[in-house]
């Protein structure tokens, strides 16, 4: 066991040599090192957002499980927030607001950084509206690119700023930064209308059908994920894919590149990409927009 002291806080690191990505021989220690280096870009996006833990104690090919309640063994300096659940009463959710907290959660084998769409203390009013473009059946990233470009046309019509990122798997996420003044129903209704526009524009490829079996080989346009208590992998989060992909911001023009594949962005090159291109998700933090009426 190693002990790391950061910002006056001690974090006990365990099993650093355990291989988490077998195909690439990437270890738990490599993952923690990535998050230490990515923290300056990642932390502003997850700060004060309730964090849903999903540990992979034996790496990406092992079992994983979701955990909302902050573990009893958490250090006393880890920030939490109580959120009421009708089934369990008050649940203490973790807030990953600083580097020691991020390292501690990574040491618990949380490969992915799953967070809410809203922030404490305004949990009923999201500050991001997210379109999740999710290929189904025989569709894949290429089809997701096509749908993302359709969304861009409509979003531009409403004179909104939106920033795309890879999901880290086969999908695309489009983030629209908004004023935290709308409830989740209002945000969801607005996004669903955008989804229906795209569905009407390309009914052979796009669908808002929630039933997986009924979708067939179409790209699912998901807006209903924008809800209280739901989570999404944060930007710069690692994903449990064989290639150790990272959910990576994109320039819109990159989605015009037919050779683009999500496996291009991994634990090994995402940080150098940020240094070369800058923090492409910065507007998600700084821009606040009103939702237009449709």
């Amino acid at each position: 066991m190693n002990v790391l002291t950061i910002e006056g806080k001690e974090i006990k690191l365990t099993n650093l040599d355990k291989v988490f990505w077998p195909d690439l021989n990437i270890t738990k220690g490599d993952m923690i090192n990535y998050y230490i280096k990515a923290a300056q870009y990642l932390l502003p996006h997850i700060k004060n957002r309730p964090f849903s833990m999903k540990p992979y104690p034996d790496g990406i090919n092992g079992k994983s499980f979701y955990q909302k309640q902050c573990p009893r063994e958490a250090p006393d300096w880890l920030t939490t927030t109580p959120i009421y659940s009708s089934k369990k009463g008050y649940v203490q959710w973790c807030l990953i607001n600083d580097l020691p907290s991020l390292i501690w959660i990574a040491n618990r084998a949380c490969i992915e950084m799953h967070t809410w769409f809203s922030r404490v203390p305004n949990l009923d009013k999201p500050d991001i509206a997210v379109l999740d473009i999710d290929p189904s059946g025989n569709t894949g990233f290429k089809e997701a690119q096509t749908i993302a470009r359709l969304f861009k046309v409509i979003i531009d019509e409403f004179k909104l700023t939106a920033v795309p990122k890879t999901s880290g798997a086969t999908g695309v996420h489009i983030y629209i930064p908004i004023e935290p003044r709308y409830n989740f129903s209002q945000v969801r209704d607005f996004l669903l209308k955008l989804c229906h526009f795209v569905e009407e524009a390309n009914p052979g490829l796009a669908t808002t059908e929630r039933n997986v079996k009924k979708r067939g080989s179409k790209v699912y346009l998901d807006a209903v994920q924008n809800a209280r208590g739901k989570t999404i992998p944060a930007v710069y989060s690692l994903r449990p894919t064989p290639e150790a992909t990272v959910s990576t911001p994109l320039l819109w023009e990159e989605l015009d590149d037919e050779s683009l594949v999500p496996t291009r962005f991994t634990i090994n090159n995402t940080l150098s990409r940020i240094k070369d291109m800058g923090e492409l998700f910065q507007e998600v933090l700084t821009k606040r927009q009103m939702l237009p009426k449709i």
Side-chain angles (χ1 to χ4, degrees):
M1 182 175 66
N2 296 286
V3 178
L4 192 63
T5 301
I6 293 183
E7 299 175 9
K9 301 176 177 71
E10 288 189 352
I11 306 108
K12 296 177 181 178
L13 303 180
T14 57
N15 302 315
L16 295 179
D17 294 329
K18 181 178 279 191
V19 176
F20 271 23
W21 283 268
D23 291 354
L24 302 175
N25 199 35
I26 294 174
T27 65
K28 179 183 177 182
D30 296 327
M31 180 189 77
I32 292 173
N33 188 51
Y34 165 79
Y35 276 125
I36 289 173
K37 293 180 178 178
Q40 61 180 307
Y41 311 110
L42 169 64
L43 284 173
H45 292 285
I46 65 175
K47 185 176 182 179
N48 285 333
R49 298 189 190 276
F51 183 94
S52 180
M53 290 170 283
K54 191 180 182 184
Y56 290 77
D58 295 311
I60 66 167
N61 294 331
K63 292 182 179 180
S64 61
F65 56 95
Y66 280 103
Q67 183 179 1
K68 298 176 181 178
Q69 178 75 44
C70 183
R72 293 181 180 178
E73 64 271 21
D76 57 9
W77 44 259
L78 185 75
T79 304
T80 62
T81 187
I83 301 176
Y84 184 76
S85 164
S86 58
K87 294 181 179 179
K88 297 184 178 180
Y90 280 97
V91 174
Q92 292 290 338
W93 288 68
C94 294
L95 297 177
I96 308 304
N97 289 350
D98 53 31
L99 182 55
S101 301
L102 181 63
I103 297 171
W104 184 82
I105 211 74
N107 186 62
R108 288 187 62 83
C110 290
I111 291 174
E112 301 175 287
M113 300 289 134
H114 283 266
T115 58
W116 281 35
F117 294 73
S118 55
R119 300 180 192 256
V120 171
N122 208 5
L123 289 179
D124 290 319
K125 303 292 177 65
D127 61 351
I128 48 175
V130 181
L131 293 157
D132 185 356
I133 303 170
D134 187 14
S136 299
N138 295 325
T139 60
F141 188 75
K142 290 290 174 286
E143 288 77 15
Q145 282 180 268
T146 299
I147 296 302
R149 292 195 293 265
L150 273 177
F151 271 117
K152 179 65 163 64
V153 172
I154 296 170
I155 290 168
D156 284 349
E157 284 290 320
F158 287 108
K159 295 181 171 54
L160 289 171
T161 295
V163 189
K165 71 179 178 75
T166 64
S167 69
T170 58
V172 175
H173 297 155
I174 299 175
Y175 276 53
I176 303 172
I178 59 174
E179 291 280 358
R181 59 183 294 168
Y182 307 98
N183 61 40
F184 278 103
S185 293
Q186 291 171 304
V187 173
R188 195 164 53 246
D189 288 347
F190 171 75
L191 293 176
L192 279 171
K193 288 174 182 176
L194 298 189
C195 290
H196 289 310
F197 288 150
V198 170
E199 188 177 29
E200 290 173 7
N202 195 336
L205 184 59
T207 181
T208 54
E209 174 59 61
R210 297 186 66 184
N211 188 304
V212 176
K213 291 182 180 179
K214 292 181 180 179
R215 284 179 206 163
S217 290
K218 290 187 179 182
V219 178
Y220 176 49
L221 315 181
D222 187 357
V224 299
Q225 192 72 3
N226 291 262
R228 195 178 195 277
K230 297 288 188 179
T231 63
I232 191 168
V235 67
Y236 304 120
S237 171
L238 282 161
R239 302 304 306 274
T241 59
E243 302 84 5
T245 52
V246 172
S247 184
T248 304
L250 299 169
L251 297 170
W252 278 107
E253 50 263 37
E254 289 182 289
L255 284 167
D256 295 326
D257 181 1
E258 293 299 324
S259 69
L260 183 68
V261 288
T263 52
R264 182 182 296 179
F265 312 113
T266 70
I267 190 173
N268 293 319
N269 60 23
T270 297
L271 293 170
S272 60
R273 173 180 165 88
I274 298 172
K275 289 179 181 178
D276 291 342
M277 301 185 68
E279 212 286 74
L280 299 181
F281 234 54
Q282 187 65 27
E283 279 192 304
V284 175
L285 297 173
T286 58
K287 192 90 172 175
R288 288 294 171 259
Q289 303 170 104
M290 302 286 286
L291 289 178
K293 293 182 179 180
I294 300 180

